[in-house]
Amino acid sequence: MRRVSCARVLPLALLLVTLAAVPADAGAGGAGAGASAGASASAVGTVDAVRGEAAHAVRAHETARTRVDRLRAADALPTKIQSAERRRKKIRADLWDMLWAAGRASGDPVAVNKSGRGGKCAFQSRSKKKSKGKSKAKTSPKAKAPKAPKPPNAPKAKPDKATAETKARDTARSWTAPTRDYWLSAGYAASGAHWAHRHTGQDFAVSTGTPVYAVGPGTVRATTCGDGFGNQVVVRHPDGYFTQYAHLSRIDVRAGKRVKAGQRLGLSGATGNVTGPHLHFEVRITPYLGSSVPPLPWLRRKDVRVVR
């Protein structure tokens, strides 16, 4: 399999917000041309400032989260834990508001159309399921043979030991890798010609049509398409973090659906800005671009082993 990676996925929301402030006639000749150059430089500077502010907030949030975890592990006073947790939530709320406003202003589908219906995303067809249901309704139900009565005081059948162990193991496994039969390509914070800045997630190189799974329990926050991430699913987990699964060829869930660890969200693909089929996996503090954290350490905290 050839090496693939996410193509140039920029923080477009932040860019468009600042460019909207540039005068409409800034591209005219003479003095207008000079104004255009100055406005463009100002816009780039503003984008860098906002991006830097978001990155600072992400680092501050992770530091605050680590402090909360340490206080809980040390069995600190509840007042100390509550104070640290309030600070973490305040940082997260400010970051959320900033990125949500930028997303709304630029038309980011996660902020504007989280159901994906407006973008005519490639959802799984439900026609087959409906037709099967209709055909079953028309057919007459088969008569079931009566069950033989159990003799009194009959011993209960013991469950198979292997089956019981399998069920126990499946119940204990609450987090998992987002796909199977992969190899890791572009990693978090990678740099290169494919990105204007740093890569915001971890790429799992897989063939088109490979099942993509929810890494843990949660609720589908958004299912969108039409931007650089192509067909994507964003899931919110009980710990407040979000996971993103991008460049899918098909989406199998809808916004608002509750999912379990290992439940299929869709199929991998090459939609959006890509150089080949793969899964772009991202972990975020908010649902929006600009709040990502290193995904592999985050998965390791969930006891998920990702093979390099």
Side-chain angles (χ1 to χ4, degrees):
M1 183 181 296
R2 64 190 181 87
R3 184 179 181 84
V4 296
S5 62
C6 286
R8 187 170 175 153
V9 179
L10 302 178
L12 185 58
L14 304 180
L15 180 61
L16 292 181
V17 167
T18 53
L19 291 182
V22 179
D25 60 348
S36 175
S40 298
S42 176
V44 171
T46 305
V47 170
D48 290 340
V50 173
R51 185 184 296 113
E53 185 179 350
H56 176 75
V58 168
R59 291 192 296 269
H61 177 275
E62 292 303 276
T63 300
R65 179 199 55 79
T66 301
R67 174 170 171 74
V68 171
D69 292 344
R70 288 175 178 172
L71 288 173
R72 285 174 175 164
D75 198 19
L77 293 174
T79 53
K80 284 190 175 181
I81 298 175
Q82 291 169 6
S83 176
E85 182 66 2
R86 279 196 300 269
R87 181 175 183 277
R88 181 195 70 80
K89 289 183 177 180
K90 177 63 167 59
I91 296 171
R92 178 173 177 268
D94 291 343
L95 177 63
W96 186 302
D97 291 344
M98 177 175 61
L99 297 179
W100 176 83
R104 294 285 295 182
S106 67
D108 176 11
V110 176
V112 177
N113 180 34
K114 65 180 183 180
S115 69
R117 291 182 174 87
K120 298 180 180 179
C121 300
F123 292 109
Q124 179 188 19
S125 174
R126 298 173 183 266
S127 59
K128 292 183 178 180
K129 292 183 178 180
K130 289 182 179 178
S131 61
K132 287 182 180 179
K134 290 180 181 179
S135 61
K136 285 183 179 180
K138 291 180 181 179
T139 57
S140 58
K142 294 181 180 179
K144 294 182 179 180
K147 294 182 179 180
K150 292 182 179 180
N153 301 324
K156 295 182 179 180
K158 293 183 179 180
D160 180 71
K161 184 178 180 181
T163 303
E165 290 177 354
T166 301
K167 287 183 177 179
R169 185 168 59 252
D170 291 342
T171 302
R173 188 190 69 180
S174 56
W175 296 86
T176 184
T179 189
R180 309 285 186 269
D181 300 325
Y182 60 83
W183 63 275
L184 301 181
S185 50
Y188 179 80
S191 60
H194 295 299
W195 313 282
H197 299 281
R198 297 283 181 173
H199 191 223
T200 55
Q202 174 64 57
D203 287 353
F204 290 76
V206 288
S207 302
T208 296
T210 303
V212 172
Y213 308 103
V215 295
T219 303
V220 177
R221 166 78 182 190
T223 52
T224 75
C225 59
D227 66 347
F229 287 115
N231 299 326
Q232 64 172 318
V233 176
V234 178
V235 176
R236 180 173 186 167
H237 300 286
D239 62 358
Y241 284 86
F242 296 79
T243 51
Q244 178 209 29
Y245 312 77
H247 306 310
L248 306 180
S249 60
R250 193 183 78 187
I251 299 173
D252 291 346
V253 292
R254 297 280 183 151
K257 179 179 177 60
R258 294 182 65 84
V259 295
K260 299 178 181 179
Q263 183 170 338
R264 195 172 80 179
L265 303 175
L267 302 178
S268 64
T271 57
N273 296 334
V274 295
T275 59
H278 69 284
L279 168 67
H280 174 87
F281 174 74
E282 201 165 310
V283 178
R284 298 174 175 178
I285 298 170
T286 77
Y288 312 114
L289 181 65
S291 60
S292 62
V293 299
L296 296 187
W298 185 86
L299 285 173
R300 283 196 291 270
R301 293 204 301 268
K302 311 293 185 184
D303 294 326
V304 176
R305 181 173 175 265
V306 175
V307 181
R308 292 185 177 273

